[in-house]
Amino acid sequence: MVELIRELYLYEIILIILGIIFFIVLIRELSNRFSKEKPVKKLISFFVLPVFMIGFPAVQNFEIANSIFTIRLGLNRAQKGKVNPKKILEAANIWSEAGVNHPRNMILLAEAFRVGGNLDQANNYVEKVDKILPSNTEVDRLRSRIIIQQNLNQLRANPQDDLAKQNIQNEISRLEKKSELETKDLIILARGNQVIGRIDKAHAYADSL
């Protein structure tokens, strides 16, 4: 899993590489002994070490790996209208508590918090990534989705909030100018346009999904 590899400590990466090398060496020696009909019983016991070296980082990060899988699966389902915000949010909290340092992972985690409903945390990670990858198009699109979602939530609480409607309209205009819009962008554009009364545009975005 790419996201997990990005977050591995240097010693964990070294441990895995050395474990793989050691495992290959043992396999070659085992094959050589078989061909020469030499005893292999003692050699087999050495396989425990490379298995441990390779498996230790995986065991250490099992909960994180499971969280990443849940987030990936949840976000994919969300794009098909089968969102489970609670499950995504739980997985996002676990991953966040473990620590996330790679900007690509921060973007994924921010989107998970957005879909999960924790927009403050989503914003926090967007701000962190923005310092590392300033003027990044993907981050800009994510920020627009968060702002639209925040104002949609505001309108649910107060349907007469004209400022929220204006904020949605402004952010929709900003998002529509971005290139390479993804499904998650189209979904929020459809919702935003519907709420501010642009029914035709809302239907157009919904039909493009």
Side-chain angles (χ1 to χ4, degrees), residues 165-178:
K165 291 179 182 179
Q166 186 61 50
N167 289 339
I168 291 173
Q169 185 173 329
N170 292 341
E171 214 55 46
I172 284 175
S173 298
R174 188 174 288 109
L175 184 55
E176 286 176 331
K177 293 176 183 177
K178 302 295 182 184

Side-chain angles (χ1 to χ4, degrees), residues 31-44:
S31 177
N32 184 49
R33 291 198 177 195
F34 268 124
S35 63
K36 295 181 180 180
E37 297 183 352
K38 292 183 178 180
V40 297
K41 188 175 181 180
K42 290 184 179 180
L43 183 64
I44 290 175

Side-chain angles (χ1 to χ4, degrees), residues 3 18 38 54 69 126-127 156 167 177 198 201 206:
E3 292 85 4
L18 291 177
K38 292 183 178 180
I54 297 169
F69 176 78
V126 165
E127 294 305 318
R156 289 192 188 98
N167 289 339
K177 293 176 183 177
R198 295 176 175 177
K201 291 194 75 172

Side-chain angles (χ1 to χ4, degrees), residues 20-201:
I20 292 172
I21 293 172
F22 191 21
F23 185 80
I24 292 171
V25 170
L26 287 174
I27 286 292
R28 287 182 175 177
E29 180 61 23
L30 185 65
S31 177
N32 184 49
R33 291 198 177 195
F34 268 124
S35 63
K36 295 181 180 180
E37 297 183 352
K38 292 183 178 180
V40 297
K41 188 175 181 180
K42 290 184 179 180
L43 183 64
I44 290 175
S45 63
F46 283 100
F47 276 89
V48 174
L49 184 56
V51 169
F52 171 79
M53 293 169 72
I54 297 169
F56 176 75
V59 172
Q60 286 285 95
N61 295 283
F62 176 78
E63 191 174 33
I64 300 173
N66 187 53
S67 297
I68 295 171
F69 176 78
T70 301
I71 288 171
R72 279 287 186 191
L73 183 63
L75 293 180
N76 286 337
R77 287 179 173 174
Q79 294 183 12
K80 299 175 183 177
K82 300 176 181 178
V83 62
N84 186 337
K86 184 178 179 181
K87 200 168 185 179
I88 293 175
L89 185 58
E90 288 175 354
N93 283 328
I94 291 172
W95 194 13
S96 178
E97 288 172 8
V100 179
N101 300 304
H102 197 283
R104 303 300 306 177
N105 288 352
M106 289 182 187
I107 293 172
L108 177 62
L109 190 54
E111 178 64 12
F113 275 120
R114 183 189 74 83
V115 175
N118 190 336
L119 300 181
D120 288 338
Q121 272 287 58
N123 263 322
N124 288 339
Y125 278 103
V126 165
E127 294 305 318
K128 288 179 181 179
V129 179
D130 202 33
K131 293 176 182 178
I132 304 171
L133 303 174
S135 303
N136 180 276
T137 303
E138 188 175 0
V139 176
D140 289 341
R141 294 203 321 268
L142 175 54
R143 182 184 287 108
S144 291
R145 293 196 300 272
I146 293 171
I147 293 173
I148 293 172
Q149 188 65 56
Q150 286 173 326
N151 286 279
L152 286 174
N153 292 347
Q154 183 63 29
L155 280 176
R156 289 192 188 98
N158 180 13
Q160 307 304 319
D161 192 332
D162 292 332
L163 179 58
K165 291 179 182 179
Q166 186 61 50
N167 289 339
I168 291 173
Q169 185 173 329
N170 292 341
E171 214 55 46
I172 284 175
S173 298
R174 188 174 288 109
L175 184 55
E176 286 176 331
K177 293 176 183 177
K178 302 295 182 184
S179 60
E180 301 177 0
L181 293 178
E182 299 180 14
T183 301
K184 48 198 169 189
D185 300 314
L186 300 176
I187 291 172
I188 200 73
L189 284 171
R191 290 175 182 167
N193 276 295
Q194 182 179 24
V195 168
I196 63 175
R198 295 176 175 177
I199 305 303
D200 290 341
K201 291 194 75 172

Side-chain angles (χ1 to χ4, degrees), residues 12-23:
E12 292 176 318
I13 295 173
I14 293 173
L15 201 61
I16 291 172
I17 292 172
L18 291 177
I20 292 172
I21 293 172
F22 191 21
F23 185 80

